[in-house]
Amino acid sequence: MQELTREQQKRYQRNILLPGVGIEGQKKLLRGGVLVVGAGGLGSPVAYYLTAAGVGRLGLVDADVVDLSNLQRQILHRTGDIGRPKVESARDKLKALNPDVRVETVGERLTAALAPDLIAQYDIVVDCTDNFATRFLLNETCLRQGKPFIYGGVLAFAGQVMTVMPGAGPCLRCIFPHEPDPHVPGCAELGVLGAVPGVIGTIQAAEAIKYLLGLGDLLVGRLLTYDALSMTFYEVSIERDPGCPACG
């Protein structure tokens, strides 16, 4: 790609100063594409930080509209956005933050018919959903295409993150072989501290940026769990399951 403009060099100066990033690393980010599935509690910090970092293409998938109850944690949206499609509300905030980034929106639920072609267009996928049916669809489509996939989940005062690297570690179904009972209470019934998806989503964004830059160690085979009440992080090593229904 062409050289960074003077404005871009100033915008991304704090990235460029980092060891292992520099001008060439910033160009990698500007060439990169990340698909973010879900524009809510997790998707908000993920999309904001990827956009601020200068990731060139950002795909946003969400079928929902903004509701008043979202605003306690979904920081992409404002009171005036209530009733608007989340992807439209999100796109406006992200373009206002960084016009360098091409924000591509899909205002419908991800389906088995839609997922393969959509995922093929991006370098990495970030799971910001709230249901296991969609997570399993992302996991299995990414495995087939060899695309990295960053899982994130939150509930009440806790959250967890893991990066799935096809062929290099376990997948989501190595941890959760079967979809949990859909009647098990989730955030809508049990609640979630608004800052928890902020913490987990920020970690997911950092993982995606590291992947695009080829820097550091990813959370492959390492389930990182955060407990806000005790303010602790702990890591569980996950082995690939030879009998996994997705990657075994």
Side-chain angles (χ1 to χ4, degrees), residues 162-208:
M162 187 176 83
T163 296
V164 174
M165 190 68 69
C171 78
L172 188 62
R173 292 191 72 173
C174 292
I175 312 173
F176 306 104
H178 308 290
E179 187 175 335
D181 186 332
H183 301 296
V184 172
C187 291
E189 295 79 24
L190 299 178
V192 61
L193 183 69
V196 169
V199 172
I200 298 301
T202 300
I203 293 170
Q204 290 180 287
E207 286 284 281

Side-chain angles (χ1 to χ4, degrees), residues 15-248:
N15 283 354
I16 292 167
L17 289 170
L18 291 169
V21 182
I23 294 284
E24 291 308 311
Q26 188 59 52
K27 289 180 183 178
K28 286 182 184 178
L29 293 179
L30 287 163
R31 288 194 299 266
V34 181
L35 181 65
V36 179
V37 184
L42 290 169
S44 289
V46 169
Y48 262 137
Y49 276 111
L50 294 179
T51 298
V55 171
R57 289 178 59 233
L58 191 68
L60 288 178
V61 183
D62 201 306
D64 289 343
V65 298
V66 180
D67 183 82
L68 181 60
S69 66
N70 300 151
L71 303 183
Q72 164 258 10
R73 65 203 176 281
Q74 299 185 15
I75 59 172
L76 268 172
H77 313 297
R78 307 287 181 266
T79 302
D81 295 315
I82 292 171
R84 293 185 70 199
K86 287 185 181 178
V87 291
E88 293 182 9
S89 167
R91 179 193 58 211
D92 292 349
K93 314 306 185 305
L94 299 173
K95 292 301 292 181
L97 174 63
N98 189 353
D100 284 348
V101 178
R102 194 166 90 206
V103 181
E104 302 163 339
T105 61
V106 178
E108 59 187 279
R109 184 174 293 278
L110 193 72
T111 63
L114 177 63
D117 287 344
L118 185 61
I119 288 171
Q121 298 173 42
Y122 296 90
D123 299 308
I124 186 168
V125 178
V126 186
D127 161 37
C128 300
T129 65
D130 60 1
N131 69 88
F132 270 86
T134 305
R135 285 181 177 134
F136 282 173
L137 173 60
L138 289 173
N139 180 70
E140 287 156 29
T141 307
C142 287
L143 287 174
R144 284 196 298 271
Q145 296 192 6
K147 292 289 175 80
F149 160 67
I150 305 171
Y151 156 69
V154 295
L155 182 65
F157 297 98
Q160 53 188 203
V161 194
M162 187 176 83
T163 296
V164 174
M165 190 68 69
C171 78
L172 188 62
R173 292 191 72 173
C174 292
I175 312 173
F176 306 104
H178 308 290
E179 187 175 335
D181 186 332
H183 301 296
V184 172
C187 291
E189 295 79 24
L190 299 178
V192 61
L193 183 69
V196 169
V199 172
I200 298 301
T202 300
I203 293 170
Q204 290 180 287
E207 286 284 281
I209 291 167
K210 285 160 50 188
Y211 173 76
L212 292 174
L213 291 170
L215 289 178
D217 296 323
L218 299 172
L219 288 168
V220 177
R222 300 154 56 205
L223 182 68
L224 183 66
T225 299
Y226 168 61
D227 183 333
L229 289 180
S230 61
M231 199 48 70
T232 55
F233 287 88
Y234 58 93
E235 188 178 294
V236 178
S237 294
I238 307 293
E239 297 293 331
R240 189 171 178 183
D241 179 4
C244 173
C247 74

